[in-house]
Amino acid sequence: MALGYYFGIDVGGTSVKMSLYSEKEDAFIKKWSIKSGKFDDENILIDSIIDSMKQVCAEEGLDFKASKGIGIGIPGPVTDDGTVLNCVNLGWGILKLKEILVKKTGISNIEVGNDANVAALGEMWKGAGKGYKSVMMVTLGTGVGGGLVIDGHIHAGNKGAAGEIGHITVEAGEEDTCGCGCKGCLEQYASATGIVRMARKMYPETYKEDVTAKDIFDAAKEGCEKAENVVEKFASYLGTALSNVANVVSPEVFIIGGGVAAAGQIITEKVSNYYRQYSMYALKDTDIRLAALGNDAGIYGCVKMVIKGENR
Amino acid sequence: MALGYYFGIDVGGTSVKMSLYSEKEDAFIKKWSIKSGKFDDENILIDSIIDSMKQVCAEEGLDFKASKGIGIGIPGPVTDDGTVLNCVNLGWGILKLKEILVKKTGISNIEVGNDANVAALGEMWKGAGKGYKSVMMVTLGTGVGGGLVIDGHIHAGNKGAAGEIGHITVEAGEEDTCGCGCKGCLEQYASATGIVRMARKMYPETYKEDVTAKDIFDAAKEGCEKAENVVEKFASYLGTALSNVANVVSPEVFIIGGGVAAAGQIITEKVSNYYRQYSMYALKDTDIRLAALGNDAGIYGCVKMVIKGENR
């Protein structure tokens, strides 16, 4: 193996997505998962990740210590120096993860990023953002997450809080409270949960407890007027929010991913309409695309953080 | 002069603010102005700026060609490569200004930036943002401008459109149209013009055509309830907008400048209240400060763009 190999590790709340990437083949030579979760001691999860990397190296006949780098994504805020700040899903407080990993592995080229930022970087490198260097990725799942890449690098921001566009205020008149404690956050209208909440508020007789965001998008595609109205409202909030994001950072492309985005073109078409309506002239033609890498975006981004010295 | 000297040039619509900065003294050794405006040929203004620099060098006994760099701010969108895109105030179309200036002067270290971005950089270097590397500056004047500095560098964004936070949508119910063609932009509530517009809409009997934003802030400070209500509304729109900006880029500090900011602490206090109310926990204590450099922010930022190799 003339060129190096790298590990891309995307840590979630229930499982850790692991990967071994070969620079020569420009591809993953192995992808696997291990169990994640909250443990009494953070070292339990960290050590099991390291052990798993070592074991795969042994299986593949590779020297673990010769690995050229490890990129790791965490579901919580991460600062530029690789410190994790309070990761609720893992039960972690403030943890100098980069420092800990360098010490435990003896490998110096290690970077830690927030999972949404890492996914944005992955999409830029190998997915829907190929060819671009400034990317805003929005993940529409149970909540609304966001990742920001500027000039080819993750922009973590002060306290690792950049890109958290789920908590942009889009509705001053909202009465329900968002998980963050504020009212009128984008997440209350554009997440899977938010779409259902809106639908049930708009049409309480039609939409009962068991309706899903997927049901609503499916019905809208089939021409159901009520579902169409819910989708329009969803799109108007998300389109406005993206136009506000464009006013702040002016990315080259917006990428929409996450479970809700499985609804497909209806999302980008509707959201683009509102985006253009609310945007200044110079920003109107910024592309809004669907994510291309699915759950692999994170591991691609993790590798990208540490490959070719382009990390920071 | 062991260390070098630099030119910082802030081009406005009616005058060009010029400066000669000495690295050794870490100060401007001369500040002066020349006339600006719309001319039939862009070379007229460009050549008069160059001639003026040369003349001052002659007066000061300096060799123009030995200048270590020229930074120039333009009141319009500027891309990372120093291209100006349609500067209405100067009557310019698309102009590769950096390239033109390098050719005309023979000096290679030249950077061009948008005036608001350059002012933000100046405040970071020598003003209210000293010690910080990520700064969002908001300029409240006839309009609302914004400049964004990330990791010590201006972030111009795609089409030079980043930082234009005056056109963030903050009010979905607005009926009047903003200068940009959209409705409900921050500029319609937080600029000098916008504050007067709001006041006259809220209290048409009290506020007539001749009222100014300064009158309203002065009255609010003296306890006039109507004026206080206008200021609260202004602050709620600006506070919400800044919390949305924080969700996108999470700067270390917000700096508020421009004519309206002359009202002083009342602005930062009121805006901070709303900012904290609308912000996620991690973002609540981001500092909101008044600008410190006044009209000199631009020339400081112009010098900062080209000094010490920290430009890009």
Side-chain angles (χ1 to χ4, degrees), chain A residues 22-37:
Chain A
S22 155
E23 200 172 1
K24 188 180 171 194
E25 296 174 34
D26 188 15
F28 291 112
I29 49 178
K30 193 175 171 80
K31 296 195 280 188
W32 72 103
S33 287
I34 63 169
K35 245 186 84 177
S36 183

Side-chain angles (χ1 to χ4, degrees), chain A residues 158 163 167 169 244 247-248 250, chain B residues 158 163 167 169 244 247-248 250:
Chain A
N158 189 29
H167 301 287
T169 308
N244 288 349
N247 280 315
V248 181
S250 190
Chain B
N158 189 29
H167 301 288
T169 308
N244 287 349
N247 279 315
V248 181
S250 189

Side-chain angles (χ1 to χ4, degrees), chain A residues 138-145 165-166 168 170-171 174 184-200 202-203 207 212-214 216-218 220-221 225-243 255-275 278 288-290:
Chain A
V138 193
T139 310
L140 308 177
T142 316
V144 172
I165 72 164
I168 283 185
V170 292
E171 175 59 81
E174 181 60 54
C185 292
L186 176 62
E187 186 162 294
Q188 292 182 281
Y189 313 95
S191 63
T193 331
I195 292 164
V196 168
R197 190 190 69 97
M198 258 196 318
R200 295 188 60 200
M202 288 167 75
Y203 306 107
Y207 297 118
T212 66
K214 183 178 183 306
I216 293 161
F217 280 105
D218 286 346
K221 286 180 198 168
E225 204 186 312
K226 288 176 184 170
E228 282 176 343
N229 290 343
V230 175
V231 170
E232 288 294 334
K233 205 162 176 192
F234 149 85
S236 99
Y237 284 120
L238 184 52
T240 312
L242 296 189
S243 91
I255 297 174
I256 303 183
V260 173
Q265 292 301 331
I266 187 172
I267 299 219
T268 44
E269 275 165 26
K270 298 281 184 192
V271 172
S272 295
N273 285 346
Y274 287 97
Y275 171 80
Y278 289 113
I288 299 178
R289 297 180 181 184
L290 291 169

Side-chain angles (χ1 to χ4, degrees), chain B residues 17 34 52 65 100 107 118 189-190 200 213 238 240 269 280 282 303:
Chain B
K17 192 153 188 181
I34 63 170
S52 180
K65 294 231 177 245
I100 293 167
I107 292 167
V118 158
Y189 313 94
R200 296 188 60 201
L238 184 52
T240 311
E269 275 165 26
M280 293 194 305
V303 171

Side-chain angles (χ1 to χ4, degrees), chain B residues 3-246:
Chain B
L3 293 159
Y5 58 93
Y6 297 82
F7 290 98
I9 296 163
D10 191 9
V11 182
T14 53
S15 75
V16 180
K17 192 153 188 181
M18 314 261 307
S19 69
L20 179 60
Y21 175 88
S22 156
E23 199 172 2
K24 188 182 171 192
E25 296 174 35
D26 187 16
F28 291 112
I29 50 180
K30 194 175 170 78
K31 295 195 280 188
W32 72 104
S33 288
I34 63 170
K35 245 186 82 177
S36 183
K38 284 190 195 188
F39 301 96
D40 295 338
D41 181 339
E42 61 259 8
N43 286 297
I44 297 173
L45 182 58
I46 295 169
D47 290 342
S48 80
I49 289 170
I50 296 172
D51 289 346
S52 180
M53 287 190 283
K54 286 182 176 169
Q55 196 191 315
V56 165
C57 279
E59 287 165 19
E60 300 286 328
L62 298 169
D63 176 12
F64 173 67
K65 294 231 177 245
S67 160
K68 282 203 176 170
I70 302 171
I72 182 161
I74 298 293
V78 180
T79 57
D80 278 334
D81 65 352
T83 303
V84 179
L85 308 174
N86 298 306
C87 180
V88 179
N89 289 339
L90 302 176
W92 290 359
I94 294 173
L95 197 68
K96 295 193 169 190
L97 185 58
K98 177 175 169 170
E99 202 178 298
I100 293 167
L101 285 169
V102 169
K103 202 175 277 180
K104 281 185 187 256
T105 61
I107 292 167
S108 60
N109 183 25
I110 292 180
E111 294 292 338
V112 184
N114 163 267
D115 57 354
N117 286 333
V118 158
L121 189 65
E123 288 285 349
M124 182 203 80
W125 187 34
K126 296 287 186 187
K130 248 183 183 174
Y132 290 116
K133 297 196 79 182
S134 293
V135 172
M136 178 80 224
M137 180 166 173
V138 192
T139 311
L140 309 176
T142 315
V144 171
L148 182 58
V149 175
I150 288 180
D151 293 336
H153 300 287
I154 286 172
H155 175 63
N158 189 29
K159 299 192 177 176
E164 282 291 350
I165 72 163
H167 301 288
I168 283 185
T169 308
V170 292
E171 176 56 84
E174 181 60 55
E175 287 170 358
D176 293 351
T177 303
C178 177
C180 77
C182 298
K183 287 174 182 178
C185 292
L186 176 63
E187 185 160 297
Q188 292 182 281
Y189 313 94
S191 64
T193 330
I195 292 163
V196 167
R197 189 191 70 96
M198 257 195 320
R200 296 188 60 201
K201 263 195 144 172
M202 287 167 74
Y203 306 106
E205 294 304 313
T206 310
Y207 297 118
K208 303 295 182 187
E209 228 168 278
D210 58 342
V211 74
T212 66
K214 183 179 183 306
D215 295 339
I216 293 162
F217 280 106
D218 286 346
K221 286 178 198 169
E222 283 164 19
C224 162
E225 202 186 313
K226 287 175 184 172
E228 282 177 342
N229 290 342
V230 175
V231 170
E232 288 294 334
K233 205 163 176 189
F234 149 86
S236 100
Y237 284 120
L238 184 52
T240 311
L242 296 190
S243 90
N244 287 349
V245 170

Side-chain angles (χ1 to χ4, degrees), chain A:
Chain A
M1 193 179 271
L3 293 159
Y5 58 93
Y6 297 82
F7 289 98
I9 296 163
D10 192 8
V11 182
T14 52
S15 74
V16 180
K17 195 155 186 181
M18 314 262 304
S19 68
L20 178 61
Y21 175 88
S22 155
E23 200 172 1
K24 188 180 171 194
E25 296 174 34
D26 188 15
F28 291 112
I29 49 178
K30 193 175 171 80
K31 296 195 280 188
W32 72 103
S33 287
I34 63 169
K35 245 186 84 177
S36 183
K38 284 190 195 187
F39 300 96
D40 294 338
D41 181 340
E42 60 260 9
N43 287 298
I44 297 173
L45 182 58
I46 295 171
D47 291 341
S48 79
I49 290 170
I50 296 173
D51 289 345
S52 181
M53 287 190 283
K54 286 183 177 170
Q55 194 190 317
V56 165
C57 280
E59 287 165 18
E60 299 287 328
L62 298 168
D63 176 11
F64 173 67
K65 294 232 176 245
S67 160
K68 281 203 176 170
I70 302 170
I72 182 161
I74 298 293
V78 180
T79 57
D80 278 335
D81 65 353
T83 303
V84 179
L85 308 174
N86 297 308
C87 180
V88 180
N89 289 340
L90 302 177
W92 291 359
I94 294 174
L95 197 67
K96 296 193 168 189
L97 185 58
K98 179 175 168 170
E99 204 178 296
I100 293 169
L101 285 169
V102 168
K103 202 175 280 181
K104 282 185 188 256
T105 62
I107 292 166
S108 60
N109 183 26
I110 292 179
E111 292 292 338
V112 185
N114 163 266
D115 57 352
N117 286 332
V118 158
L121 189 65
E123 288 285 347
M124 182 203 80
W125 188 34
K126 296 287 186 187
K130 248 184 183 173
Y132 290 114
K133 296 196 78 182
S134 294
V135 171
M136 178 79 223
M137 180 166 174
V138 193
T139 310
L140 308 177
T142 316
V144 172
L148 182 59
V149 174
I150 288 180
D151 293 335
H153 300 286
I154 286 173
H155 175 62
N158 189 29
K159 300 194 178 176
E164 282 292 349
I165 72 164
H167 301 287
I168 283 185
T169 308
V170 292
E171 175 59 81
E174 181 60 54
E175 288 171 358
D176 293 350
T177 303
C178 177
C180 77
C182 298
K183 288 174 183 179
C185 292
L186 176 62
E187 186 162 294
Q188 292 182 281
Y189 313 95
S191 63
T193 331
I195 292 164
V196 168
R197 190 190 69 97
M198 258 196 318
R200 295 188 60 200
K201 261 194 146 171
M202 288 167 75
Y203 306 107
E205 294 303 312
T206 309
Y207 297 118
K208 303 295 182 188
E209 227 169 278
D210 59 340
V211 73
T212 66
K214 183 178 183 306
D215 294 339
I216 293 161
F217 280 105
D218 286 346
K221 286 180 198 168
E222 282 165 20
C224 161
E225 204 186 312
K226 288 176 184 170
E228 282 176 343
N229 290 343
V230 175
V231 170
E232 288 294 334
K233 205 162 176 192
F234 149 85
S236 99
Y237 284 120
L238 184 52
T240 312
L242 296 189
S243 91
N244 288 349
V245 171
N247 280 315
V248 181
V249 286
S250 190
E252 292 168 305
V253 64
F254 286 101
I255 297 174
I256 303 183
V260 173
Q265 292 301 331
I266 187 172
I267 299 219
T268 44
E269 275 165 26
K270 298 281 184 192
V271 172
S272 295
N273 285 346
Y274 287 97
Y275 171 80
R276 290 183 218 307
Q277 187 180 321
Y278 289 113
S279 290
M280 293 194 305
Y281 184 76
L283 299 169
K284 279 191 199 296
D285 60 359
T286 305
D287 214 356
I288 299 178
R289 297 180 181 184
L290 291 169
L293 300 177
N295 289 332
D296 281 356
I299 50 172
Y300 274 111
C302 287
V303 171
K304 180 63 180 160
M305 279 199 295
V306 286
I307 207 167
K308 291 173 192 165
E310 288 182 20
N311 58 304
R312 66 168 177 189

